[in-house]
Amino acid sequence: MKIVIVGGVAGGASAAARARRLSEDSEIVLVERGPDVSFANCGLPYYLGGTIVDRQKLLVVTPERLEARMRLDVRVRSSVESIDRQAKTVRIHDLESGRIYDEAYDKLILAPGAAPLRPPIPGIDSPGVFTLRNLQDTDRIKAMLDSNIQQAVVVGAGFIGLELVENLLQLGIDTTIVELQDQVLPPFDKEMSTPLAEQLTRRGVKLLLGESADRFETTETGVVVHTKSGRALPAQLVALGIGVRPENKLAVDAGLEVGPRGGIQVNDSLQTSDPNIYAVGDAIEVQDFVSGEPTQIPLAGPANRQGRIAADNVFGREVRYRGTQGTAILGLFDQTAAMTGASEKSLQRSGIAFRKIYVHPANHAGYYPGAEQMTLKLLFDPESGRILGAQGIGGAGVDKRIDVLAIAIQAGMTVFDLEEVELAYAPQYGSAKDPVNMAGFVAAGLLRGDHPQIDVATLMEQSPEERPLLLDVRTAEEYAAGHFPDAVNISIDELRSRLDELPTDRRIATYCQVGQRGYLATRVLMQAGYDVVNVSGGYKTFRLFNPEKDSAGN
Ligand code: FAD
């Protein structure tokens, strides 16, 4: 068997290594256009910021190591230019010698990745406008950073854009973000991204949301980014992080099927429309694990696993790719934002019914020093309770909870299962009721009708006439420090003795800081015959939706 693999980084290198482990006899040719294989794309921003000091560390495996250990035929600086499906050959251009030759294959694996988007904005080819994909891009940006630049503009506040921003700030560079959406980290629901936006502003980043770059003007001192609303932003470095497009030219030219957004179409064995050709990684269209819809999710974990699975299938192991959940994480200074599965907005787009809850637990026991609060948002099926998605924002421990929830989604678990999951606990690591259990208790209680709830978003959409009476059950001090507009305050400890102050002919919405005392108040009032709901996630959730409100909530 002779396998040719196009692309030698995440998906391609994984496929090659797996293929060798499965077959000592095969001939495996790994063709990579760039000078490096298997480099750490995900580490590039941290090398730019100086956290990773040694460039060599980004070269996870060298071609020489792959040749020696895995007996692969690695051809770097070699570009596959075309595929002849009838002859089962690829045409390779050796970019160093200029030689062009054909290489035969029995099975071909395409792992060409995705290229950063560079839309035809006037001036986009200015020398100061960069994208970041590989070590060569990194070297160019690093050279610019080493010239002691003062100002940078990052266009796009997605994962890579924000990682770049963090690293630019680390270098003391005055940084502006230009983002088309009205939020940072657009895959997240907007309210869950609020703490990131607040942190960026606190750290001096100029955050221009709902704004776009219209034109780049090269000047003597660098580049000026002209925005749609008429701003002129001078900078020495402009970094574009506005998404990627699948490198599908080879596939398209060879007549392989691609989806509407350009991803190479594959079946669940990762086989393209030609059974002798497989495709993996950022270049392919995948099935969304939750909605079942075709989508493109460029992440390293899926690319690596797909590489492995494609190699398995080449050798007759019938391993199926389950689809991509989009489990992703961002570190921004001391904050962590992570998500898995569907977001509220993606469920809305797909027309999938859902319910949601917010909890704000601490990452570990509150009495043990150093506890940090997080916010978890859980989305689930309103009938079965099947978990559809989760997002977390906070400090320590967000990663662990989202990973647990990622497994729960993949296992098809429900919110009732989350009530029962048994997780490791000692005070410095968690709580006897882990945040994952807490999310399960709240969501399952909601579905069981133990505590009817109302979302902050729904409350805010209601007119004052239709809105329930808002009952703040926190202490008078907490109430004074900020509360929902028009809320009345009866603390939970006084509630039972002051029930007669509450109307029996109007719905009451109780809330506290995070939802827990509000839950207790809901139970008290329900059992006393009141029409009551709890505001999901309490005042803290209100603040996520209303970051601009002052401390009195007005
Ligand atoms: P790639 O890793 O891009 O490899 C494709 C390779 O194919 C390229 O080297 C290209 O030169 C080569 N190639 C293309 N066409 C040809 C051809 N015709 N002939 C020969 N060679 C060809 N993901 C995460 O999950 N977490 C992160 O923290 C994260 N951080 C990232 C940070 C940055 C700066 C970048 C750029 C990406 C990051 N990603 C992250 C995304 C992740 O790196 C990609 O999803 C993953 O590398 C995709 O793997 P791939 O094999 O499909 O493509």
Side-chain angles (χ1 to χ4, degrees), residues 320-454:
R320 304 279 172 249
Y321 185 64
R322 297 176 179 185
T324 301
Q325 269 171 257
T327 307
I329 189 161
L330 171 83
L332 191 69
F333 295 100
D334 50 3
Q335 276 178 333
T336 303
M339 68 182 292
T340 183
S343 62
E344 181 171 350
K345 52 189 170 188
S346 72
L347 290 171
Q348 279 165 347
R349 268 197 306 272
S350 306
I352 296 175
F354 66 91
R355 293 217 66 173
K356 61 176 173 179
I357 57 104
Y358 299 85
V359 288
H360 306 278
N363 66 318
H364 63 58
Y367 62 80
Y368 190 86
E372 293 177 47
Q373 200 174 33
M374 70 178 80
T375 295
L376 292 177
K377 175 176 183 178
L378 191 70
L379 297 146
F380 47 96
D381 184 276
E383 301 298 327
S384 66
R386 183 171 75 98
I387 305 154
L388 303 173
Q391 290 162 59
I393 174 84
V398 170
D399 53 345
K400 166 167 141 175
R401 274 62 191 214
I402 292 298
D403 279 347
V404 169
L405 291 166
I407 295 177
I409 290 175
Q410 195 165 119
M413 290 168 76
T414 68
V415 296
F416 306 105
D417 293 314
L418 295 188
E419 293 186 291
E420 301 301 329
V421 292
E422 185 178 312
L423 301 172
Y425 163 60
Q428 64 274 49
Y429 296 109
S431 297
K433 288 179 191 141
D434 190 86
V436 171
N437 297 126
M438 293 302 295
F441 295 144
V442 175
L446 179 66
L447 292 188
R448 279 195 288 260
D450 289 347
H451 59 106
Q453 73 163 35
I454 189 163

Side-chain angles (χ1 to χ4, degrees), residues 11-68:
S14 294
R18 178 71 171 170
R20 173 56 74 227
R21 285 193 294 270
L22 294 178
S23 166
E24 273 294 304
D25 305 330
S26 296
E27 191 182 342
I28 304 170
V29 183
L30 186 63
V31 191
E32 167 55 50
R33 190 169 51 201
D36 312 300
V37 290
S38 205
F39 63 89
N41 334 45
C42 310
L44 302 178
Y46 303 95
Y47 171 66
L48 289 172
T51 305
I52 299 169
V53 179
D54 182 359
R55 187 182 183 281
Q56 280 298 111
K57 295 248 191 251
L58 297 168
L59 299 167
V60 181
V61 186
T62 60
E64 296 71 32
R65 165 65 75 90
L66 279 183
E67 279 165 359

